[in-house]
Amino acid sequence: MSIVKKVMWVLLLVVVAAVGSLYWLGTRDDASTGPAAAAADSATLVERGRYLALAGNCMACHTSRGGKALAGGTPIPTPFGTVYGPNITPDEQTGIGAWTADDFWQALHNGKSRDGTLLYPAFPYTEYTRVTRADSDALYAYLRSVAPVSQPNRPPELDFPYDQRALLAAWRALYFKPGVQEADAGQSVQWNRGRYLVEGLGHCAACHTPRNSLGALRSADALAGGVIPVLDWYAPPLTNDMETGMGRWSAEDIAALLKTGIAKHSSASGPMAEVVLGSTQHLTDADALAIGVYLKSLPATPASTERTRAAVAPAAMELGGKIYKQQCVQCHQAAGEGSGTAWPALAGNPTVTAPSPVNAIRMVLDGGYAPATAANPRPHGMPPFGQLLNDNDIAMLVSYIRNSWGNEAGGVTALEVKRARAASTLN
């Protein structure tokens, strides 16, 4: 055999070994799954599961607009195409009626369907793997208690090669390692509970951590904020940077936003308003505060962004200030201090000072309301100005509020407003 052929055979064996290793790493299960949870009173278990389903916001992805509860069909847009939330009612044919508690645990913990099919990470098993077996069993008991709905699952509509499910093995080998979250003995019970909710069931990183080109979370920038792909909303940093993160907030402020949708520094809008409406308002006071305590322990890491802070011309600030006095000062006040929780402050507001101006632009364009929660059933709203102000006007206005009263967030261009207007129309 010639040297060239020997080299080719060696290279072939290396490639086969590498592919085999990636496949094994990407399809392996966590061996420490543990036994099923001890039996409990069924009503208690179901109620516990109902609470966990709210905390995990299961309805958001598994209930389509106008559809039956948890019957699936919700489109979940990604940069690679659209996947659809599956039916998780106990229907035997189209839902999870034939699943066992072990099957359900495998989906949450190992990211695999009942038959071993690898699940797309639009289902956040990368975070749900931290959920305990006891909580998995409670969720399963609750889902078994809801009304079964016969509704076939809609297959994903993904671009090539992302529609090749076998390639998930390589993705998982690179970016996923199953494992329940262990408590940190050096921290309080409250802190550990907050971390469990943030990093596990609440899957906060799914929006608040930037992603790489393959859709995996950039672990080095955990909870450092980023634009939510396709939706074009910015999820702000949950770290404690004073300018762009939660540095000015207390744990109680964070809990208030989660429970009511409003706080003295800001109010929930866009996708976060939907999270508060469908999920976090239902948290117990203790769980909401635990999340606040955990988030306040995070370092003062600056926001993750590739956007350069643009200077604002004095003329633009002057014109933006005039528009502010004409349209905004009555509610948000001359110094941007707002009016209690009815109209949030703009000074130090992370929506305003975020590296990306897209949220502030979209609020000016479309207006909006904080979510109508049990604690705040009739929130004050902001009228839309998209029809009244042109792109240049909005750019100057948003530049003004981002650079007044101690805010130093940089300028906004008319092109950015135009793009946000287009995204707003599409969404």
Side-chain angles (χ1 to χ4, degrees), residues 132-224:
T132 65
R133 179 61 194 255
D135 280 353
S136 173
D137 286 351
L139 275 166
Y140 173 77
Y142 165 67
L143 294 175
R144 295 283 295 180
S145 75
V146 305
V149 178
S150 178
Q151 179 170 298
N153 291 314
R154 186 169 176 177
E157 299 169 357
L158 299 173
D159 301 328
F160 181 83
Y162 309 108
D163 59 346
Q164 304 301 302
R165 197 180 288 264
L167 295 179
L168 282 173
W171 188 94
R172 289 162 57 100
L174 294 171
Y175 304 117
F176 175 59
K177 182 179 180 181
V180 169
Q181 188 175 71
E182 299 293 336
D184 185 337
Q187 297 287 349
S188 67
V189 171
Q190 185 183 46
W191 183 94
N192 275 293
R193 176 64 175 171
R195 183 180 68 152
Y196 176 71
L197 291 168
V198 168
E199 297 185 0
L201 200 61
H203 59 285
C204 302
C207 290
H208 292 275
T209 296
R211 296 177 182 270
N212 64 20
S213 59
L214 291 178
L217 298 176
R218 284 163 35 189
S219 57
D221 295 315
L223 300 179

Side-chain angles (χ1 to χ4, degrees), residues 317 320-321 324 328 332 336 346-349 351-353 360-361 364 394-410:
M317 286 292 290
Y324 181 84
C328 314
H332 295 288
L346 301 179
N349 186 321
T351 297
V352 174
T353 60
I361 293 172
V364 174
I394 294 176
M396 288 185 289
L397 172 60
V398 176
S399 293
Y400 174 77
I401 66 173
R402 281 168 58 84
N403 295 278
S404 298
W405 323 299
N407 295 343
E408 297 179 352

Side-chain angles (χ1 to χ4, degrees), residues 254-265:
I254 296 170
L257 183 74
L258 295 173
K259 292 283 291 182
T260 70
I262 54 175
K264 65 181 180 181
H265 298 289

Side-chain angles (χ1 to χ4, degrees), residues 27 64 67-68 81 120 140 176 217 228 245 267 279 330 347 366 400:
T27 57
S64 61
K68 299 288 184 66
Y120 285 107
Y140 173 77
F176 175 59
L217 298 176
I228 303 173
S267 61
S279 177
Q330 183 175 355
D366 302 328
Y400 174 77

Side-chain angles (χ1 to χ4, degrees), residues 78-361:
T78 79
F80 316 106
T82 302
V83 296
Y84 297 88
N87 184 343
I88 56 173
T89 71
D91 181 70
E92 292 278 343
Q93 301 300 319
T94 63
I96 61 171
W99 289 39
T100 66
D102 287 340
D103 295 332
F104 188 74
W105 166 256
Q106 174 170 259
L108 261 64
H109 190 68
N110 288 312
K112 294 182 180 180
S113 189
R114 180 179 179 232
D115 61 1
T117 300
L118 301 181
L119 299 175
Y120 285 107
F123 173 61
Y125 58 82
T126 46
E127 286 72 51
Y128 286 167
T129 189
R130 299 179 177 88
V131 172
T132 65
R133 179 61 194 255
D135 280 353
S136 173
D137 286 351
L139 275 166
Y140 173 77
Y142 165 67
L143 294 175
R144 295 283 295 180
S145 75
V146 305
V149 178
S150 178
Q151 179 170 298
N153 291 314
R154 186 169 176 177
E157 299 169 357
L158 299 173
D159 301 328
F160 181 83
Y162 309 108
D163 59 346
Q164 304 301 302
R165 197 180 288 264
L167 295 179
L168 282 173
W171 188 94
R172 289 162 57 100
L174 294 171
Y175 304 117
F176 175 59
K177 182 179 180 181
V180 169
Q181 188 175 71
E182 299 293 336
D184 185 337
Q187 297 287 349
S188 67
V189 171
Q190 185 183 46
W191 183 94
N192 275 293
R193 176 64 175 171
R195 183 180 68 152
Y196 176 71
L197 291 168
V198 168
E199 297 185 0
L201 200 61
H203 59 285
C204 302
C207 290
H208 292 275
T209 296
R211 296 177 182 270
N212 64 20
S213 59
L214 291 178
L217 298 176
R218 284 163 35 189
S219 57
D221 295 315
L223 300 179
V227 175
I228 303 173
V230 182
L231 296 183
D232 201 34
W233 281 91
Y234 181 78
L238 300 183
T239 55
N240 280 283
D241 182 72
M242 290 296 292
E243 183 177 351
T244 61
M246 312 299 289
R248 302 173 190 267
W249 295 55
S250 67
E252 289 76 15
D253 293 334
I254 296 170
L257 183 74
L258 295 173
K259 292 283 291 182
T260 70
I262 54 175
K264 65 181 180 181
H265 298 289
S266 190
S267 61
S269 59
M272 188 61 199
E274 296 177 13
V275 171
V276 172
L277 181 65
S279 177
T280 62
Q281 70 160 317
H282 303 290
L283 293 171
T284 63
D285 291 346
D287 276 352
L289 185 58
I291 289 173
V293 167
Y294 172 67
L295 292 179
K296 287 304 297 179
S297 75
L298 299 179
T301 307
S304 172
T305 179
E306 297 177 0
R307 186 178 189 271
T308 302
R309 183 178 296 179
V312 186
M317 286 292 290
E318 181 180 355
L319 291 171
K322 289 181 179 179
I323 297 171
Y324 181 84
K325 290 177 181 178
Q326 293 170 350
Q327 308 295 343
C328 314
V329 73
Q330 183 175 355
C331 295
H332 295 288
Q333 307 303 307
E337 70 270 29
S339 300
T341 55
W343 292 282
L346 301 179
N349 186 321
T351 297
V352 174
T353 60
S356 170
V358 66
N359 292 6
I361 293 172

